[in-house]
């Protein structure tokens, strides 16, 4: 498929930015009215193939391919758009589950949107049916043990000098870090096992690191769980209980989210991109056949 | 049935609430958690207009739908 170069859009032209796909419902009209999203633009609803898409009309020149390439590297811009997008998704989710769209999905106009929707309407309808009544929880497990100050020097072997004592402490530290990593990975697996009866599906995201990640500790497990809405609090409470019983780890539960992570098909287990606790470790015996969520080639 | 408060929703966004609406409870969502979901999750809506779609009449248009992620910009070209 070759790219056809479009001329720069005329000033004042707008493109259609899409947030989410839903089943029609009178509640959605009421909620969408008054909502503002990306670039402060109003949210409106488009009927497409028996489904409804929430959209905004955004400045076309901000959302051309070139403009997007530049802006996606601007964290401030990215943050504003991501938060606005998610806020619209969350507001619409109060009625019933919505299928959130990936960031920066933009169409020339409503007709173009409708054509694309027509092609995927069955897949979307099926997904909506499957996700109905569920929410997503994020569960991140961090290894914190071993990152604290080195333990006080213990009794040394007779005749050991200060150098050897230092090395001994460093080895203890490293073992304790490795132990903490394993404890974190183990907790992830335990959560999967113990909560299999409450959870409908699970995905792994890449462990978080780098500029945007928040400590303390090293993120070992970055999982998303699809949970029935009426068992959501039970799920969270049990995760926190399991975490409290594990030394050297920190657990962060985020959500409830709209089911972003479950709008994507699972990676086949054992593929190089299958995530989990630092590798494919999380996938063996995975009860749902779930895998990593990757922004891979389609 | 009680639905959990959507505390994933930031409380002070340039966002979706109407002016005058009561503020939503909850803490700020971390950007990294948002990006995990918005860049690698969510449905991808794209189209290949050359596919045959039952009971949809394809109109000849010159359009472009843009689906991007941080890792790869993949424009879907539509026939003119």
């Amino acid at each position: 498929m070759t790219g056809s170069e479009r001329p720069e859009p005329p000033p004042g032209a707008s493109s259609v930015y899409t947030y989410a796909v839903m089943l029609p419902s009178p509640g959605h009209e009421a909620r969408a009215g008054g909502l503002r999203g990306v670039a402060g633009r109003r949210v409106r609803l488009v009927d497409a193939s028996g489904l409804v898409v929430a959209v905004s009309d955004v400045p076309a020149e901000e959302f051309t391919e070139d403009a997007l390439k530049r802006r996606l590297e601007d964290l401030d811009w990215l943050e504003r758009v991501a938060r606005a997008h998610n806020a619209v998704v969350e507001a619409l989710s109060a009625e019933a589950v919505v299928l959130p769209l990936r960031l920066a999905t933009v169409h020339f106009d409503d007709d173009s949107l409708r054509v694309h929707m027509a092609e995927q309407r069955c897949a979307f309808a099926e997904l909506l049916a499957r996700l109905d009544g569920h929410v997503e929880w994020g569960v991140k497990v961090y290894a914190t043990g071993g990152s604290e100050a080195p333990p006080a020097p213990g009794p040394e072997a007779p005749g050991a000098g200060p150098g050897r004592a230092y090395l001994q402490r460093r080895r203890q530290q490293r073992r304790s870090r490795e132990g903490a990593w394993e404890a974190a990975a183990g907790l992830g697996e335990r959560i999967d096992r113990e909560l299999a009866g409450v959870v409908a599906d699970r995905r792994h995201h890449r462990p978080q690191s780098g500029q945007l990640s928040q400590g303390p500790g090293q993120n070992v497990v970055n999982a998303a769980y699809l949970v029935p809405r009426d068992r959501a609090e039970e799920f969270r409470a049990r995760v926190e209980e399991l975490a409290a019983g594990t030394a050297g780890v920190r657990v962060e539960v985020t959500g409830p989210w709209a089911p972003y992570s479950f709008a994507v098909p699972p990676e086949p287990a054992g593929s190089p991109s299958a995530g989990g606790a630092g590798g494919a470790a999380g996938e063996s015996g995975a009860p749902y056949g779930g895998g990593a969520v990757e922004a891979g080639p389609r | 049935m009680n639905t959990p408060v959507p505390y994933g929703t930031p409380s002070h966004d340039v966002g979706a609430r109407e002016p005058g609406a009561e503020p939503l409870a909850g803490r700020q969502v971390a950007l990294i958690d948002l990006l995990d979901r918005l860049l690698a999750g969510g449905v991808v809506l794209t189209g290949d207009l050359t596919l045959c779609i039952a009971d949809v009449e394809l109109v000849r248009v010159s359009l472009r739908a843009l689906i991007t992620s941080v890792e790869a910009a993949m424009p879907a070209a539509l026939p003119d």
Side-chain angles (χ1 to χ4, degrees):
Chain A
M1 213 182 304
T2 58
S4 61
E5 291 308 316
R6 287 200 80 239
E8 278 300 305
S14 64
S15 296
V16 178
Y17 185 102
T18 49
Y19 301 98
V21 176
M22 304 156 281
L23 293 172
S25 141
H28 284 135
E29 284 290 351
R31 267 181 201 281
L35 274 186
R36 288 184 181 270
V38 167
R41 298 303 173 92
R42 290 190 168 280
V43 175
R44 61 182 175 88
L45 302 181
V46 175
D47 291 319
S49 304
L51 297 172
V52 174
V53 189
V55 307
S56 281
D57 301 299
V58 297
E61 74 264 13
E62 275 188 42
F63 287 89
T64 60
E65 183 186 351
D66 284 343
L68 271 169
K69 278 183 184 161
R70 276 181 279 113
R71 286 180 184 264
L72 283 170
E73 300 186 16
D74 173 353
L75 266 182
D76 287 334
W77 184 90
L78 186 59
E79 176 160 11
R80 282 199 300 278
V81 175
R83 291 194 184 283
H85 183 128
N86 187 57
V88 172
V89 166
E90 294 282 348
L92 295 170
S93 295
E95 286 299 314
V97 77
V98 307
L99 204 51
L101 284 162
R102 189 160 295 189
L103 190 80
T105 305
V106 174
H107 297 263
F108 179 74
D109 62 11
D110 287 6
D111 284 339
S112 165
L113 170 60
R114 286 194 185 95
V115 168
H116 293 148
M117 280 293 299
E119 181 180 322
Q120 293 185 255
R121 70 193 184 288
C122 294
F124 288 168
E126 193 183 293
L127 255 181
L128 276 166
R130 186 147 37 91
L131 298 175
D132 184 35
H134 294 77
V135 295
E136 173 177 328
W137 284 112
V139 176
K140 294 186 291 182
V141 187
Y142 298 80
T144 51
S147 54
E148 62 281 327
E156 294 158 8
R164 177 176 291 213
Y166 170 80
L167 286 175
Q168 274 178 350
R169 288 199 296 277
R170 294 290 294 178
R171 267 196 295 272
Q172 279 166 5
Q173 243 187 317
R174 191 178 63 240
R175 265 184 241 121
S176 129
R177 271 202 304 276
E178 285 162 358
W181 194 97
E182 294 196 13
L187 176 58
E189 287 169 17
R190 208 152 53 245
I191 289 171
D192 279 352
R193 262 197 328 269
E194 306 268 334
L195 295 176
V198 183
V199 170
D201 203 354
R202 188 262 285 135
R203 294 282 192 278
H204 279 143
H205 295 280
R206 279 196 202 92
Q208 295 179 345
S209 62
Q211 176 190 356
L212 291 180
S213 70
Q214 300 171 336
Q218 181 197 359
N219 181 227
V220 175
V221 177
N222 181 8
Y225 290 91
L226 187 69
V227 179
R229 224 184 244 263
D230 59 359
R231 303 194 74 178
E233 287 303 324
E234 175 194 347
F235 172 85
R236 180 156 69 116
R238 288 180 63 185
V239 167
E240 287 173 356
E241 207 177 282
L242 286 168
T246 310
V249 304
R250 173 174 76 87
V251 172
E252 190 183 322
V253 178
T254 64
W257 299 89
Y260 290 96
S261 307
F262 301 94
V264 183
E267 294 282 318
S271 77
S273 57
E283 297 316 312
S284 55
Y288 321 109
V293 175
E294 293 275 344
R298 292 186 53 259
Chain B
M1 172 197 320
N2 284 333
T3 54
V5 172
Y7 66 77
T9 309
S11 61
H12 65 273
D13 251 10
V14 178
R17 295 197 312 283
E18 333 174 21
E22 56 188 53
L24 294 158
R27 55 178 173 76
Q28 173 103 332
V29 175
L31 177 59
I32 194 172
D33 295 328
L34 262 179
L35 295 181
D36 273 346
R37 289 165 172 81
L38 277 161
L39 295 179
V43 290
V44 182
L45 178 57
T46 187
D48 179 354
L49 283 188
T50 62
L51 283 182
C52 216
I53 301 166
D55 72 52
V56 171
E57 191 182 327
L58 289 180
V59 180
R60 182 183 175 278
V61 289
S62 59
L63 300 169
R64 187 181 182 124
L66 221 55
I67 316 284
T68 67
S69 72
V70 169
E71 278 90 85
M74 300 186 61
L78 307 175
D80 265 323

